[in-house]
């Protein structure tokens, strides 16, 4: 997976370094959590969140087995408090979330909390924003169009930094991936 399009784009954009605080939202089996934790080191922190109990157990067990004391596993999609001052939020393939949270209002509320928690200039990196609630069997699309997500993020005070919706060699219809990067705007008192 180290050589896949998404991993390369994410790592090039994130530019992880010692001391960073990163939230892996919907961490799953922890590919990025376990990849990033050694890079951010003891002075940094990785917050790995997932709603599935098996994923949470796997994340906790994996962090313990690897001796990663800088990984905090959070059950659910609740984001950390604003005082944590997060450098980046990472969301990769959030397309199999539980039905009870697969709603537009959940995502808008979550993005608002993300904005509060991010440092000025902090990044939100999203790979494949097509979100489907497949636990109810209907495959309902919650937020599929990148343009819709861009509009919502900009309304909440994010700047769209990068959008890629076409990738050479990737034709996985109907869920073509998208790579979106947003940054928290730096507001100053003089701008008010």
């Amino acid at each position: 997976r180290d050589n896949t399009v998404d991993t390369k784009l994410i790592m090039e954009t994130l530019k992880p370094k010692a001391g960073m605080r990163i939230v892996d939202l919907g961490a799953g089996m922890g590919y990025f959590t376990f990849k990033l934790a050694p890079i951010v080191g003891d002075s940094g922190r990785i917050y790995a969140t997932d709603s599935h109990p098996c994923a949470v157990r796997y994340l906790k067990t994996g962090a313990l087995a690897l001796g990663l004391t800088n990984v905090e596993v959070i059950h659910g999609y609740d984001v950390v408090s604003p005082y944590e001052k997060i450098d980046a939020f990472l969301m990769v393939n959030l397309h199999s979330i539980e039905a009870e949270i697969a709603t537009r209002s959940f995502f808008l509320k979550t993005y608002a909390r993300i904005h509060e928690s991010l440092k000025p200039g902090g990044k939100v990196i999203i790979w494949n924003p097509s979100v489907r609630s497949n636990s109810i069997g209907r495959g309902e699309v919650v937020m599929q169009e990148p343009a819709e997500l861009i509009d919502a993020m900009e309304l909440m005070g994010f700047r769209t930094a990068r959008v890629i919706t076409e990738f050479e060699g990737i034709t996985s219809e109907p869920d073509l991936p998208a790579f979106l990067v947003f940054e928290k705007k730096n507001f100053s008192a003089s701008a008010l």
Side-chain angles (χ1 to χ4, degrees):
R1 184 168 175 185
D2 286 349
N3 293 318
T4 60
V5 172
D6 58 326
T7 298
K8 288 179 180 178
L9 279 171
I10 288 163
M11 296 302 285
E12 288 168 9
T13 303
L14 186 57
K15 295 179 179 59
K17 59 182 184 259
M20 287 182 77
R21 292 176 173 269
I22 301 169
V23 177
D24 188 358
L25 194 69
M29 296 293 106
Y31 173 78
F32 283 103
T33 293
F34 300 140
K35 186 174 185 66
L36 293 168
I39 299 170
V40 303
D42 292 337
S43 61
R45 196 119 185 109
I46 303 295
Y47 301 91
T49 75
D50 206 281
S51 66
H52 199 286
C54 289
V56 170
R57 280 193 301 276
Y58 186 88
L59 289 164
K60 287 180 178 179
T61 302
L64 186 64
L66 295 170
L68 299 172
T69 58
N70 62 346
V71 173
E72 182 176 329
V73 179
I74 301 167
H75 184 210
Y77 288 105
D78 197 16
V79 295
V80 295
S81 301
Y83 66 82
E84 295 291 351
K85 299 299 178 198
I86 301 301
D87 293 288
F89 279 82
L90 180 59
M91 292 177 248
V92 179
N93 294 325
L94 291 182
H95 56 265
S96 58
I97 60 174
E98 295 176 14
E100 63 268 22
I101 63 169
T103 64
R104 196 174 309 279
S105 63
F106 165 79
F107 282 100
L108 294 178
K109 181 176 154 185
T110 298
Y111 289 127
R113 298 257 338 260
I114 288 171
H115 189 272
E116 291 174 358
S117 298
L118 270 176
K119 290 179 177 178
K123 295 177 182 174
V124 178
I125 299 171
I126 303 171
W127 170 262
N128 192 6
S130 297
V131 178
R132 296 183 179 276
S133 171
N134 59 12
S135 60
I136 55 177
R138 292 191 310 230
E140 177 184 353
V141 175
V142 176
M143 192 174 289
Q144 184 177 22
E145 294 298 324
E148 182 180 355
L149 181 54
I150 290 166
D151 288 345
M153 294 292 275
E154 289 181 351
L155 281 172
M156 285 184 267
F158 291 96
R159 180 183 78 80
T160 302
R162 190 170 184 194
V163 177
I164 304 175
T165 56
E166 293 184 19
F167 300 90
E168 189 175 327
I170 296 180
T171 57
S172 55
E173 294 286 352
D175 294 324
L176 289 174
F179 180 69
L180 308 172
V181 180
F182 302 96
E183 292 178 353
K184 183 175 181 177
K185 293 179 183 176
N186 290 311
F187 289 106
S188 66
S190 60
L192 298 176

